[in-house]
Amino acid sequence: MDRRLVRQSKKLSRLLRHRGPDVGLRMDPAGWVEVDELLGHLQITRGDLEEVVRLNDKQRLQLLGSRIRCCQGHSLDCRAVTREALEASWSRYEGGDSVWHGTRVEVVEAIARDGILAQNRTHVHLAPATDSVVGKRAAVAVLLEVSCARLRERGHEVFTAPNGVILTRHVPAACVVGLRTLSDAARARARVLRRTLGLG
């Protein structure tokens, strides 16, 4: 993707995830906006928009006919969008296997205390596999293994967005069942990190 389209992709994601209502975009509770209205804000053509959607590496954008949205990743500040409407637009995740959350070494202690929080987003993002492109940041030091079975036992619903990201509102610490280290700093502290999480 050329630089101009990369800039448009970033601007588009910001608008659809975080700032749409602030700039006057009419957005429904599941995050959909009318393409024609969006094109006016971005000052690009429908062809450029389709190219941005097609080339997005994580398939964050969903374009259906005259409407477009980000599949997931909305901030709580995007007041037009609701958790309930997003969840109704996703599929229930039926997989019984573990899913993964990438994070930094510095936050493991807080996760051991509070679980994985969505912070300022509507949902916690999880990856379906350790090598997944979607659902985790590109550069992370630690991958936390999360048990979907434990999430469900504790009443937490698990969903899949159209681009394959696994989502839930909160991951209690007891649902973290494993840890993989990806950086030298994390490997050096692996024993301490596992003990902090109660993993032995």
Side-chain angles (χ1 to χ4, degrees):
M1 192 184 307
D2 70 35
R3 289 182 182 178
R4 182 180 62 86
L5 290 178
V6 168
R7 285 195 303 273
Q8 293 295 352
S9 179
K10 290 180 178 178
K11 185 175 181 181
L12 185 56
S13 289
R14 272 196 309 275
L15 275 176
L16 295 179
R17 283 177 157 179
H18 315 301
R19 303 211 51 240
D22 294 341
V23 300
L25 271 181
R26 290 173 296 175
M27 183 177 286
D28 81 5
W32 291 103
V33 301
E34 290 295 322
V35 168
D36 287 345
E37 187 175 345
L38 181 67
L39 294 178
H41 278 275
L42 294 176
Q43 297 182 332
I44 62 172
T45 67
R46 171 82 187 218
D48 282 345
L49 180 66
E50 289 174 356
E51 185 80 348
V52 167
V53 171
R54 187 177 65 80
L55 295 176
N56 188 275
D57 60 341
K58 295 189 177 182
Q59 300 177 328
R60 292 184 184 99
L61 302 164
Q62 190 177 10
L63 178 62
L64 287 178
S66 66
R67 302 187 307 160
I68 189 170
R69 71 169 182 171
C70 273
C71 294
Q72 34 58 229
H74 301 85
S75 66
L76 292 172
D77 292 338
C78 190
R79 297 171 306 282
V81 177
T82 68
R83 287 182 172 130
E84 294 78 12
L86 286 170
E87 291 167 358
S89 75
W90 298 332
S91 303
R92 288 194 187 279
Y93 182 69
E94 303 296 345
D97 297 335
S98 295
V99 291
W100 301 86
H101 180 76
T103 193
R104 306 184 317 276
V105 169
E106 312 86 74
V107 301
V108 169
E109 188 173 339
I111 288 172
R113 183 182 62 245
D114 303 323
I116 305 171
L117 305 174
Q119 301 297 339
N120 65 333
R121 302 292 177 104
T122 62
H123 293 79
V124 174
H125 291 194
L126 302 160
T130 57
D131 61 352
S132 176
V133 174
V134 299
K136 63 183 177 67
R137 294 180 181 92
V140 296
V142 173
L143 281 179
L144 301 179
E145 182 180 1
V146 175
S147 166
C148 286
R150 289 194 184 185
L151 281 171
R152 294 188 189 101
E153 285 167 8
R154 286 159 177 77
H156 294 272
E157 294 182 285
V158 186
F159 302 91
T160 309
N163 62 342
V165 175
I166 312 299
L167 300 128
T168 192
R169 294 191 187 191
H170 174 237
V171 177
C175 297
V176 177
V177 297
L179 174 144
R180 291 193 188 179
T181 54
L182 302 179
S183 71
D184 290 340
R187 281 188 280 275
R189 296 188 57 192
R191 189 174 298 176
V192 172
L193 295 173
R194 286 191 173 89
R195 192 164 55 242
T196 299
L197 290 164
L199 300 175

